[in-house]
């Protein structure tokens, strides 16, 4: 109801109303206009070992123990029986969500051809799952702790997921927040729809409305390393909990040689993995500067779109002295190399990484805090170069020349990184797995071809057995009929006995043996169906061309333009084809249905084509066009017909010529008689 009237709103309208209301609320709180409406996630908490499957397992354990006592059956000893029990327990769990009475569980032929049955009600189910229900409040407390909110600050609670249909789960959540919970979203499809939307956003094949989705790092990640001269270890948390992802950071270390970084999850207790370590990364080819000082090594760490942590690149800042002429030439080369890349996306990523690196906290190494990157030495040398040249011009001739200072160039040297990830397979093992998988794929392909060949034999047996007693019965003699039926029965018995597990070629040979007898029968049936249709079509074409030839002999105006020699070719072709058709029809009439036909439908079709190719170009010749007399243009007027001009001259012979400009002709003998009233 809206404004006292009933209205029907679409999903899009309801969503727009919600976002508009959120915008108004934000504007009232911020005291400023809001252009974009963003729904932010303040925190996340979960229990990876608590879900709908855990409730199913409680039911499965209960009925496994009951069936073992009641029927002496161990359901866990057979995978098939256990899977059936899981399916039935899931159905029973859903039924108990809407019914509090005793509900039966019945499975036919469960094990050893025995039927089993049991029953369960909601109260018994809640007693079995009391331990699981107690775990529901743990992530809720964790969520409030992360967001620094109180229960009173939460205005509404929406739950999704199949397990939220369990009444006891709803009661626990509602009791925790002290308010009724909402279930307006589809419990099963809410997450799937979100995943589908995210896939559409990432895929280049779909165009969807732009949404700004920023993922988060669920578990904090830290790095640990050893100092050069001390046994102490340095630790730094590079990505905190709920840090934005994907994201990159650049860390600077002062080192004289190769060093090792170890990545691990900062909170091992909160990680749902048996191992908190991520991997070890060895930065190689690190050396001290020529003056013996430590080198600056920049290490780039990143969490990508998939939430995977890695150390992507490492580079060493090296100072190299150069001569002035070498400096100028190398500076030109660097200018060429520093041209913006053609791909705008790549340039954008580099700028993003640099901006991210500049905002990160500094890392302490060797009891020293790394400072921000100094200005580029190349720029410093270029700036000092021009004033030096100006001063040189101002020098007096009598002053002695000063010694040139060596130029220093800073070069970033890329360093190799050896990654040893905890969960990563070795190259040899990975290649072995790939090879094994390829063999399995090939074996599956061969097995499919073998099964297809076996199924083809079985299908052929069943098809011909039915048709030999039906439409094919008239097209095979009695003796062959009995022999073929016996062969089909023997083949069927062979399939289920010796031929149960034969090679592909064995089934191919069996099928060829059956087709040697069955194919002629099938061809006779098909020819008997198609041959009369082809004969009828050929007869119609012969009648058509014969009628045209008769009309030509009767001087019909439609065909009097055709040459007589051409029409004789038509008559000759019609007579030859008609004679051929009569001969083969008479010969076919003497054959029985169980004999091979004298003529096939394809031969008749070829004759029709030959007849059309011979006769059709002749009988469809167009009549020659009669050209109309050409019109001539007079010098001072439009075109007129000569005949009309002669006729007009003839009619005007002896007539009085017209008077021009009032002239009279006194010498004219003839006078004009005029009657005056």
């Amino acid at each position: 109801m809206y404004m006292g009237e009933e209205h029907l709103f679409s999903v899009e309208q309801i969503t727009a109303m919600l976002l508009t209301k959120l915008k108004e609320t934000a504007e009232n709180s911020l005291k400023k206009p809001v252009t974009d409406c963003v729904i932010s996630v303040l925190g996340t908490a979960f229990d990876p070992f608590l879900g709908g499957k855990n409730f199913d397992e409680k039911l499965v354990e209960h009925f496994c123990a009951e069936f073992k006592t009641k029927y002496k059956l161990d359901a866990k000893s057979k995978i098939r029986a256990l899977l059936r029990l899981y399916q039935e327990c899931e159905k029973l769990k859903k039924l108990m969500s809407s019914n509090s009475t005793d509900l039966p569980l019945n499975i036919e032929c469960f094990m050893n051809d025995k039927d089993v049955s049991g029953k369960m009600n909601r109260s018994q189910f809640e007693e079995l799952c009391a331990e699981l229900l107690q775990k529901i409040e743990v992530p809720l407390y964790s969520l409030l702790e992360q967001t620094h909110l109180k229960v009173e600050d939460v205005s509404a609670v929406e739950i999704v997921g199949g397990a939220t249909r369990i009444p006891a789960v709803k009661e626990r959540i509602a009791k925790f927040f002290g308010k009724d919970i909402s279930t307006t979203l589809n419990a099963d499809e809410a997450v799937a729809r979100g995943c589908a939307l995210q896939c559409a956003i990432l895929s280049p094949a779909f165009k969807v409305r732009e949404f700004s989705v920023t993922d988060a790092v669920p578990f904090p990640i830290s790095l640990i390393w050893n100092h050069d001269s001390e046994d102490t270890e340095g630790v730094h948390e590079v990505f905190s909990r709920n840090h934005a992802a994907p994201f990159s950071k650049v860390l600077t270390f002062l080192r004289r040689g190769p060093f090792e970084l170890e990545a691990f999850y900062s909170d091992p207790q909160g990680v749902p993995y048996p191992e908190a370590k991520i991997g070890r990364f060895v930065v190689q080819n690190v050396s001290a500067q020529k003056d013996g000082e430590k080198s600056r090594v920049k290490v780039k760490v990143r969490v990508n779109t998939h939430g995977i942590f890695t150390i992507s690149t490492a580079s060493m800042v090296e100072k190299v002295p150069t001569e002035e002429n070498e400096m100028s030439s190398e500076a030109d080369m660097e200018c060429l190399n520093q041209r913006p890349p053609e791909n705008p996306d790549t340039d954008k990523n580099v700028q993003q990484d640099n901006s991210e690196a500049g905002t990160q906290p500094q890392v302490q190494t060797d009891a020293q805090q790394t400072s921000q990157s100094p200005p580029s030495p190349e720029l410093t040398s270029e700036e000092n170069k021009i004033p030096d040249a100006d001063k040189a011009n101002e020098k007096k001739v009598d002053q002695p020349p000063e010694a040139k200072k060596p130029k220093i160039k800073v070069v970033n040297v890329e360093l190799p990184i050896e990654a040893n990830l905890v969960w990563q397979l070795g190259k040899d093992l990975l290649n072995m797995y790939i090879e094994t998988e390829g063999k399995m794929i090939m074996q599956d392909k061969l097995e499919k071809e073998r099964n297809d060949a076996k199924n083809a034999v079985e299908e052929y047996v069943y098809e011909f057995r039915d048709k030999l007693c039906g439409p094919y019965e008239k097209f095979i003699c009695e003796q062959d009929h009995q022999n073929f039926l016996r062969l089909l029965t023997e083949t069927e018995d062979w399939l289920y006995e010796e031929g149960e597990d034969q090679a592909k070629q064995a089934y191919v040979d069996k099928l060829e043996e059956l087709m040697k007898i069955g194919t002629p029968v099938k061809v006779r049936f098909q020819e008997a169906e198609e041959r009369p249709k082809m004969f009828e079509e050929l007869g119609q074409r012969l009648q058509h061309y014969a009628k045209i030839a008769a009309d030509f002999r009767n001087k019909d105006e439609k065909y009097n333009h055709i040459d007589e020699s051409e029409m004789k070719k038509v008559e000759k072709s019609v007579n030859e084809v008609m004679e051929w058709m009569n001969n083969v029809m008479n010969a076919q009439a003497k054959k029985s249905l169980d004999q091979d036909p004298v003529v096939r439908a394809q031969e008749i079709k070829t004759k029709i084509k030959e007849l059309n190719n011979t006769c059709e170009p002749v009988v469809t010749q167009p009549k020659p066009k009669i050209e109309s007399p050409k019109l001539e243009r007079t010098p001072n007027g439009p075109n007129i017909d000569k005949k009309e001009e002669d006729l007009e001259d003839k009619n005007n012979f002896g007539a009085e010529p017209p008077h021009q400009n009032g002239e009279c002709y006194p010498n004219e003998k003839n006078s004009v008689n005029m009657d005056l009233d």
Side-chain angles (χ1 to χ4, degrees), residues 31-32 34 39 47 132 200 262 293 298 328 334 394 499 569 647:
K31 305 300 182 182
K32 59 178 65 176
V34 176
I39 302 176
D47 186 346
L132 298 176
E262 180 179 342
E293 295 182 359
K298 295 183 178 181
S328 60
E334 289 175 1
E394 295 176 358
K569 294 181 181 179
L647 182 61

Side-chain angles (χ1 to χ4, degrees), residues 414-431:
E414 295 294 329
L415 302 176
I417 301 174
E418 180 184 351
N420 298 312
L421 301 178
V422 175
W423 296 101
Q424 188 178 39
L425 298 175
K427 291 185 177 180
D428 296 338
L429 185 59
L430 183 61
N431 293 334

